[in-house]
């Protein structure tokens, strides 16, 4: 089987720090190749994961531009797709495309009709924000979708739900082999944005008397010193960026740089250390997160999770056994005082079903199903 995986133009695979979609792809590709699948990866030129072949429509990651005004950013996703369309037109032969590029991927493949291979797109995002698209899109049997959680499927528009061929839960990426001593900090492992609730996390930890580490980029910037330099220089793209405004106005004033601090984006061994040394992963989300790779990573490493009961979290966190869920900040702060009742062994056992092998096997079944239906 020859599969073209479209990772999009935003971040390398694997990502150097933040990058939930790219982390999923980096977890999936080795398992597909172990199963004998020939994988062509369409990605940016800085990706380092091993694949059988590559398409590099864009040389550099474009994530720093993703929140700019539409008229400044719309060409980026289309440039990615133009490179893929050209490769197909030039005779590239793939049995199926596994697409991960929000909205633009299925729209362009649908416009190609039978000139494109059959397509399976994984829905990694909040479907509510693209209602006008998903409520009307018709893949005509050649473009199908996979949800990443039952809660996401339940919220999908009816027209889209009819084209979803299955739910494939995300997998916990394999842990790096590092020795880490347990510390006492809570951790928020997510890009800094209002939906992730970093401001709430600081207030919760202050109320509970718990140190907090915020790990994640601001507007695509991993290095705190770089953010400060660019803001001091009056970078107009940053000063108007909604995530920067949120961080500067609502998060940064709550931090003290010691007990409650932002360390920037982390990846690789640094991410492994700050996660495995954490006493708890804090997820005070304000949105219905569909997949939550950070939650899976934490539980698979024996780190309990305390968060809001939105989106996929109630299906991942067993309240009272692998963590706690509550809607309000006072309740979440109270649960930070009850972490001694959670055993690391129970977290690891609960996460044992979300393996890369299981995720790949589910996708292989969906690939086969789609190919049979489109012959």
């Amino acid at each position: 089987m020859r599969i073209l995986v479209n990772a999009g133009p935003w971040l390398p695979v694997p990502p150097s720090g933040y990058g939930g979609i790219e982390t999923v792809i980096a977890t999936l590709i080795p398992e597909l190749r172990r199963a004998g699948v020939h994988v062509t990866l369409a990605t940016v030129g800085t990706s380092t994961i091993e694949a059988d072949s590559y398409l590099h429509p864009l040389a550099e990651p474009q994530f720093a531009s993703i929140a700019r005004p539409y008229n400044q950013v719309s060409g980026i996703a289309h440039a990615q797709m133009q490179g893929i369309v050209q490769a197909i037109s030039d005779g590239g032969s793939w049995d199926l495309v596994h697409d991960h590029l929000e909205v633009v991927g299925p729209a362009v493949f649908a416009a190609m009709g039978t000139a494109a291979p059959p397509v399976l797109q994984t829905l990694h995002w909040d479907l509510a924000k693209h209602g006008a698209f998903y409520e009307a899109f018709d893949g005509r049997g050649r473009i199908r979708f996979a949800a990443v959680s039952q809660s996401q499927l339940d919220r999908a528009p009816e027209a889209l739900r009819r084209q979803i061929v299955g739910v494939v839960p995300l997998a916990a990426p394999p842990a790096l082999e590092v020795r880490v001593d347990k510390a006492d900090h809570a951790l928020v492992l997510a890009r800094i944005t209002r939906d992730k609730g970093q401001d709430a996390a600081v207030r919760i930890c202050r109320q509970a008397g718990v140190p907090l580490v915020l790990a994640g980029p601001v507007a695509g910037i991993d290095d705190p010193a770089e953010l400060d330099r660019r803001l001091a220089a009056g970078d107009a793209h940053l000063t108007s960026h909604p995530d920067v405004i949120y961080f500067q106005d609502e998060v940064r004033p709550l931090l003290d740089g010691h007990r409650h601090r932002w360390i920037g984006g982390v990846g690789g061994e640094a991410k492994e250390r700050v996660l495995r040394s954490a006493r708890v992963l804090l997820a005070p989300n304000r949105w219905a997160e569909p997949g939550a790779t950070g939650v899976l990573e934490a539980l698979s490493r024996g780190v309990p999770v305390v968060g809001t009961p939105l989106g996929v979290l109630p299906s991942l966190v067993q309240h009272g056994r692998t963590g706690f869920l509550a809607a309000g900040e006072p309740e979440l702060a109270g649960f930070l005082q009850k972490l001694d009742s959670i055993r690391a062994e129970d977290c690891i056992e609960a996460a044992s079903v979300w393996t890369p092998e299981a995720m790949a096997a589910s996708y292989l079944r969906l690939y086969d199903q789609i190919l049979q239906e489109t012959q």
Side-chain angles (χ1 to χ4, degrees):
M1 187 184 296
R2 295 174 60 86
I3 301 296
L4 171 61
V5 176
N6 180 20
W10 307 117
L11 291 165
V13 181
S16 58
Y18 165 81
I21 294 173
E22 293 77 14
T23 296
V24 172
I25 295 169
T27 304
L28 176 62
I29 285 177
E31 297 303 323
L32 293 179
R33 297 181 74 226
R34 269 191 276 274
V37 176
H38 182 284
V39 175
T40 299
L41 178 61
T43 183
V44 294
T46 55
S47 291
T48 58
I49 192 168
E50 186 174 348
D52 297 291
S53 58
Y54 302 89
L55 297 178
H56 296 308
L58 294 167
E60 297 295 329
Q62 303 295 309
F63 185 74
S65 299
I66 198 169
R68 289 183 179 178
Y70 176 80
N71 62 355
Q72 298 178 19
V73 75
S74 61
I76 295 175
H78 290 84
Q80 173 80 5
M81 292 307 301
Q82 172 60 25
I84 294 173
V85 170
Q86 190 64 54
I88 293 172
S89 300
D90 288 344
S93 178
W94 294 282
D95 298 306
L96 181 140
V97 177
H98 190 169
D99 185 74
H100 303 265
L101 182 55
E102 194 168 355
V103 172
V104 178
V108 171
F109 287 124
M112 294 180 69
T114 57
V119 176
L120 174 66
Q121 183 180 72
T122 295
L123 299 163
H124 293 277
W125 35 83
D126 180 1
L127 303 179
K129 64 180 176 176
H130 302 303
F133 177 79
Y134 287 124
E135 289 167 6
F137 180 79
D138 182 0
R140 299 184 184 279
R142 293 187 60 80
I143 300 173
R144 309 296 291 273
F145 298 89
V148 296
S149 65
Q150 185 63 44
S151 66
Q152 183 193 42
L153 175 60
D154 292 342
R155 296 191 308 275
E158 179 58 34
L160 177 62
R161 196 178 302 131
R162 291 194 298 266
Q163 299 172 84
I164 293 176
V165 291
V167 174
V168 181
L170 302 181
L176 299 178
E177 293 298 325
V178 296
R179 293 184 61 85
V180 181
D181 293 329
K182 187 62 74 173
D184 60 353
H185 65 270
L187 173 68
V188 177
L189 186 62
R191 70 184 180 96
I192 309 296
T193 188
R194 180 181 298 278
D195 283 345
K196 300 291 187 178
Q198 281 89 356
D199 61 309
V202 185
R203 290 190 295 270
I204 290 164
C205 287
R206 278 183 163 185
Q207 183 175 341
V210 174
L212 174 66
V213 173
L214 302 178
V218 173
I221 298 174
D222 291 323
D223 182 4
E226 179 187 351
L227 179 66
D228 289 341
R229 284 195 303 269
R230 290 176 59 179
L231 288 175
D235 187 320
H237 289 308
L238 281 184
T239 55
S240 61
H241 194 294
D243 290 349
V244 174
I245 295 170
Y246 165 67
F247 179 67
Q248 292 289 91
D249 291 352
E250 300 184 49
V251 180
R252 193 165 226 171
L254 301 175
L255 303 176
D256 60 17
H258 176 57
R259 282 184 62 80
H260 307 104
R261 57 197 175 100
W262 173 53
I263 63 172
V266 293
E269 187 172 310
K271 175 183 174 181
E272 193 75 37
R273 289 184 180 280
V274 75
L275 175 57
R276 290 175 61 176
S277 62
R279 189 164 181 230
V280 61
L281 182 81
L282 189 56
N285 291 345
R286 295 187 171 104
W287 73 304
E289 189 162 8
T293 52
V295 170
L296 299 177
E297 287 181 281
L299 293 176
S300 69
R301 288 147 175 82
V303 177
V305 176
V306 171
T308 47
L310 300 176
V312 72
L313 261 68
S315 67
L316 301 180
V317 179
Q318 299 175 23
H319 185 80
R321 181 171 182 260
T322 65
F324 300 99
L325 298 174
E329 292 180 19
E331 293 83 2
L332 291 169
F335 283 131
L336 290 184
Q337 306 294 339
K338 299 182 178 181
L339 294 173
D340 288 342
S341 65
I342 306 297
R343 300 192 316 146
E345 296 82 1
D346 290 335
C347 297
I348 294 170
E349 180 185 2
S352 64
V353 298
W354 302 308
T355 65
E357 296 86 352
M359 181 172 67
S362 294
Y363 276 122
L364 286 169
R365 287 192 292 271
L366 295 186
Y367 297 166
D368 287 334
Q369 176 183 335
I370 292 170
L371 291 175
Q372 290 174 13
E373 293 175 353
T374 54
Q375 284 180 348

